[in-house]
Amino acid sequence: MDSALTRDRFVARTVTATAKIVVAGAFGVGKTTFVGSVSEVPPVHMEETITGASALVDDLARTPAKSTTTVGVDFGRKHLSDDLVLYLFGTPGQARFSFLWQELIIGALGALVLVDPRDLDASHEILGLLEENGVPYAVAVNQFDGAPRHPLEEVHEALALEGHTPLTVCDARERASCMQALIQLTEYLARLAHRLEPRP
C-alpha cells in the first residue's frame, strides 16, 4: 500500500473501483461541512458570500451565522478501502439550483441525503428528485448542537422512506460519524448491486 502522504495526494495503485457519490440536502444542512470532514484531499468549494438579495430568498432563520453558500459544487475524495475510492459531490441546497442537481446526479452510484432535524419537510424535494431519477440513497440526520432529537422511527415515517432505505444519525463536523454514514450507504449500494447481478 502507498504511504499516507501518497494517498493524500493521489489515488492508491491498489484501487480497482471508484464511485461517484452525491451529498445532497436542503439549504444550510451541512453538506459543505460533511464533505470537508471526510475528504482526504483539500476539498473544492464553490461558494459565494450571501448577499442581501440572497437573504430575501434563502431562509437564514436557522443559520443566522451562515455567511456563504454553495453555488456550484463541493468536491472531495476518500479512499474507503485499499481498492475503493469515493468521489464526493456536494450539491447546492437552494431549489433555484435544481438544474445543477439534475447534472450532478448523472453517473452517481448513489446519494447520501443530509437532513436537518429542525425541518424534515425541507428534504422532500431532493428525495423526490432522486427517486424520480432512480438514484438509490441513504439518509443521515445531521445531529448538531441544539438540534431536536427525534426517534429514527419518527424520522423514517415523516420522510415517507421505503423500509429498506438506510437511516442514521451523524454530526457533519465529526469525521468518524460522517464515515459511518458513508459506509452504511456503500454497504447498501453493494447489497443492491448484488441483488441486480444476473444469476448464472
Side-chain angles (χ1 to χ4, degrees):
M1 181 72 183
D2 293 344
S3 69
L5 179 61
T6 302
R7 288 200 311 274
D8 284 346
R9 294 183 179 175
F10 306 106
V11 174
R13 294 187 187 94
T14 55
V15 169
T16 57
T18 62
K20 176 182 180 181
I21 300 295
V22 171
V23 180
F27 175 73
V29 76
K31 301 177 295 295
T32 298
T33 302
F34 184 99
V35 172
S37 292
V38 298
S39 181
E40 65 197 10
V41 295
V44 175
H45 300 303
M46 296 181 185
E47 293 191 314
E48 291 292 340
T49 302
I50 293 177
T51 63
S54 174
L56 294 174
V57 178
D58 301 321
D59 184 4
L60 301 176
R62 293 189 177 90
T63 54
K66 187 174 177 63
S67 60
T68 62
T69 184
T70 300
V71 296
V73 63
D74 296 313
F75 174 78
R77 188 192 75 205
K78 179 62 185 174
H79 281 77
L80 203 59
S81 65
D82 289 352
D83 57 358
L84 174 61
V85 167
L86 302 182
Y87 292 102
L88 307 173
F89 292 80
T91 67
Q94 301 94 318
R96 66 180 181 276
F97 291 119
S98 60
F99 65 95
L100 283 176
W101 301 350
Q102 294 281 1
E103 293 295 322
L104 287 171
I105 62 176
I106 295 173
L109 186 64
L112 181 67
V113 180
L114 290 184
V115 171
D116 186 337
R118 300 166 302 180
D119 188 6
L120 298 177
D121 288 341
S123 304
H124 287 300
E125 187 168 10
I126 189 66
L127 291 175
L129 176 71
L130 294 170
E131 289 166 3
E132 288 168 15
N133 286 274
V135 179
Y137 61 85
V139 176
V141 180
N142 186 13
Q143 201 69 71
F144 43 84
D145 297 339
R149 263 59 175 171
H150 302 298
L152 288 183
E153 296 81 7
E154 292 182 8
V155 175
H156 201 282
E157 182 177 352
L159 296 178
L161 300 178
E162 297 287 341
H164 57 78
T165 302
L167 174 63
T168 190
V169 172
C170 75
D171 184 329
R173 301 164 298 182
E174 296 179 359
R175 179 182 176 278
S177 70
C178 293
M179 286 302 303
Q180 284 302 311
L182 279 178
I183 289 169
Q184 186 177 64
L185 170 63
T186 54
E187 289 176 343
Y188 172 59
L189 296 175
R191 291 195 299 272
L192 287 180
H194 180 70
R195 253 183 259 156
L196 295 173
E197 285 177 359
R199 302 195 176 202

